[in-house]
Amino acid sequence: MLNAPPEKMRAAQCTDYSENNNISYEVLSVQNDIVPTPRLGIDTPPSGFEDVNAMLIKVLAVSLAPGDVRVLSGKTRKFQGPPSFPYTPGGDICGVVVSLPEEESEEEKKKKKKKGKGTNEKCKFNIGDRVAARFVNKPMGMLGEYALVSTEVCDVVPECLSAEGAAALVSSGTVALILGDRIRDGDRVLIFGAGGGVGSHLCQLARVQGASYVAGVGRDPQRLTEKPLGCDRAIDYTAEDPFAVKEWVDDPFDVIVDLAGVWPSLVKQTSRHQSIIKSASKGGRYLTTTPDKSEYELRSVWSAMKTFLFPALWRAMCTRGGVSRYHLPKYSYVMALPSEPNVVTRTLALASESKIVPCIDEQGPFAFDTEGVRDAFRLQGSHHAKGKVVITVSKE
């Protein structure tokens, strides 16, 4: 039986922005028993989703993602906050349900609907369920002993998965699944950034989708060719130019999945009248979830449009209807932030069938103390994690 949550809890706290991702001792630390435990139905979830969809969980593990470091850097404060300091970081999580929202009467639901507010339907979860939940709106509020999570992008974790593995999958496995849905049976697939959180899981899902050949580009090619990733070939981009591999030029890929921002390099390479990917006119597809630079600032709506909207629209148009379609692949910027529970459900189901294995960086899981949390953020901010960066908050 679960104990009632205490009034105060242990939690990571950020007291200010940390410019240039320099995680300082003053900015990020774990505070013991002084942070108020979030209260279901009273406190507003810090990430901004509707509290009618919230439930309280006892946190077991938290998986970091690039957005966690971006929020801490302050480079996206216009859109991702935080609303105030100090705040608790972390967005993707595995934990045990402690408290559920009360179901509202039909009369209360009608009143809320008239005001345009969300209503509280019967929750599908039970107290004691071990669940994995992905952040909604903003990645914050999870790296503590207790957290309010949304029931919308969440599901029960299979017994075969560890808490750390579930946190890794709900964070990056879900994104990999959305990308994997665009891979077709028989495709030859090349993945840039294959060794990271999303890439490590996408290498596996490409096989599930029926890819005939999977190649990866990363800093540790040996790891990419070993199980569970299992690439047919992998190269270290610091030692070899992936755009000049003769085997790939002679037999171009059907799909490039870019998790590292290599479009400018691809355009430059195709200008030499050779390419490692088929043109759009021959069925070549280029999928990406990232702008050209991994580090970017969003200080205004205009800067966000210049970073994401305008380049993606122009490239998509040119490679579909312009002359570029005859020498460049069809460009698609994939919005791969899951907003529906079926993506989490499908990802966890694939793990229960051993079709996808959680990939966690060998330096982790990190301890839930000041030193461990700082080390985890430093590794995430380095852009060179081998798999997911995961913090163990409590034991099951």
Side-chain angles (χ1 to χ4, degrees):
M1 184 172 178
L2 294 171
N3 296 325
E7 290 187 5
K8 304 286 186 179
M9 68 172 184
R10 193 173 179 216
Q13 294 279 273
C14 300
T15 57
D16 200 352
Y17 295 118
S18 182
E19 300 292 345
N20 300 318
N21 299 335
N22 180 24
I23 312 303
S24 67
Y25 289 97
E26 293 78 15
V27 170
L28 179 61
S29 64
V30 174
Q31 299 295 317
N32 294 320
D33 305 321
I34 65 170
V35 179
T37 301
R39 297 164 296 174
L40 184 64
I42 298 175
D43 295 328
T44 301
S47 59
F49 61 86
E50 288 192 86
D51 55 4
V52 296
N53 297 323
M55 61 183 178
L56 183 67
I57 70 168
K58 181 176 187 268
V59 180
L60 299 175
V62 174
S63 180
L64 298 185
D68 295 303
V69 177
R70 266 197 303 276
V71 172
L72 183 58
S73 74
K75 293 179 179 178
T76 57
R77 67 188 73 177
K78 173 76 175 180
F79 303 95
Q80 293 183 303
S84 62
F85 290 105
Y87 80 96
T88 299
D92 301 321
I93 189 171
C94 177
V96 178
V97 178
V98 172
S99 182
L100 297 169
E102 294 182 5
E103 188 176 5
E104 297 171 335
S105 67
E106 289 301 319
E107 186 175 344
E108 289 173 321
K109 290 178 183 178
K110 288 179 181 178
K111 288 180 180 179
K112 282 193 171 183
K113 284 181 178 179
K114 285 182 179 179
K115 295 179 180 179
K117 295 183 178 180
T119 59
N120 185 0
E121 305 296 333
K122 182 175 176 58
C123 185
K124 67 177 181 178
F125 300 106
N126 298 304
I127 291 175
D129 282 348
R130 192 173 61 131
V131 299
R134 186 174 170 83
F135 80 86
V136 176
N137 295 338
K138 303 171 185 176
M140 61 183 66
M142 303 302 168
L143 194 48
E145 290 180 309
Y146 294 88
L148 292 172
V149 303
S150 171
T151 60
E152 295 296 295
V153 192
C154 178
D155 211 340
V156 176
V157 176
E159 291 184 5
C160 62
L161 278 179
S162 68
E164 291 79 9
L169 285 176
V170 79
S171 179
S172 286
T174 50
V175 178
L177 183 63
I178 291 173
L179 289 165
D181 284 343
R182 296 179 176 234
I183 295 172
R184 304 167 188 164
D185 187 47
D187 277 344
R188 287 170 50 82
V189 181
L190 174 62
I191 303 170
F192 283 88
V198 174
S200 294
H201 297 101
L202 183 59
C203 289
Q204 303 174 60
L205 289 172
R207 293 291 190 198
V208 175
Q209 289 295 103
S212 62
Y213 181 90
V214 180
V217 178
R219 297 185 73 181
D220 188 351
Q222 181 176 340
R223 173 177 171 266
L224 299 186
T225 56
E226 295 172 348
K227 292 184 178 181
L229 279 68
C231 289
D232 293 295
R233 183 174 177 184
I235 66 169
D236 178 357
Y237 64 90
T238 65
E240 186 176 2
D241 180 5
F243 297 105
V245 177
K246 187 177 186 303
E247 175 192 348
W248 297 349
V249 173
D250 292 341
D251 191 2
F253 291 96
D254 299 287
V255 182
I256 283 180
V257 182
D258 177 15
L259 306 171
V262 301
W263 178 260
S265 298
L266 177 64
V267 172
K268 182 178 180 181
Q269 184 255 2
T270 55
S271 68
R272 298 197 299 264
H273 305 292
Q274 60 177 9
S275 182
I276 60 172
I277 186 170
K278 295 175 182 177
S279 66
S281 62
K282 295 181 179 179
R285 289 111 64 205
Y286 172 96
L287 311 175
T288 188
T289 60
T290 182
D292 297 338
K293 295 181 180 179
S294 59
E295 299 290 341
Y296 54 85
E297 295 189 28
L298 303 179
R299 301 291 188 181
S300 64
V301 173
W302 179 250
S303 65
M305 293 173 71
K306 287 196 298 182
T307 301
F308 293 101
L309 182 61
F310 296 151
L313 279 177
W314 177 251
R315 293 167 184 177
M317 290 169 58
C318 289
T319 56
R320 282 165 172 80
V323 176
S324 296
R325 66 188 299 269
Y326 295 105
H327 63 273
L328 288 172
K330 183 167 67 175
Y331 180 100
S332 295
Y333 190 98
V334 183
M335 298 300 292
L337 293 178
S339 58
E340 297 182 0
N342 72 308
V343 179
V344 177
T345 302
R346 289 174 56 206
T347 302
L348 296 177
L350 286 168
S352 69
E353 297 167 5
S354 300
K355 292 181 178 178
I356 183 172
V357 176
C359 295
I360 298 173
D361 189 282
E362 60 187 7
Q363 297 180 55
F366 290 87
F368 186 48
D369 54 32
T370 296
E371 182 180 1
V373 169
R374 288 174 180 159
D375 286 344
F377 268 81
R378 288 191 185 101
L379 178 57
Q380 182 62 56
S382 73
H383 305 291
H384 296 307
K386 298 176 181 179
K388 288 302 294 180
V389 179
V390 178
I391 300 166
T392 300
V393 175
S394 60
K395 297 296 182 182
E396 300 183 51

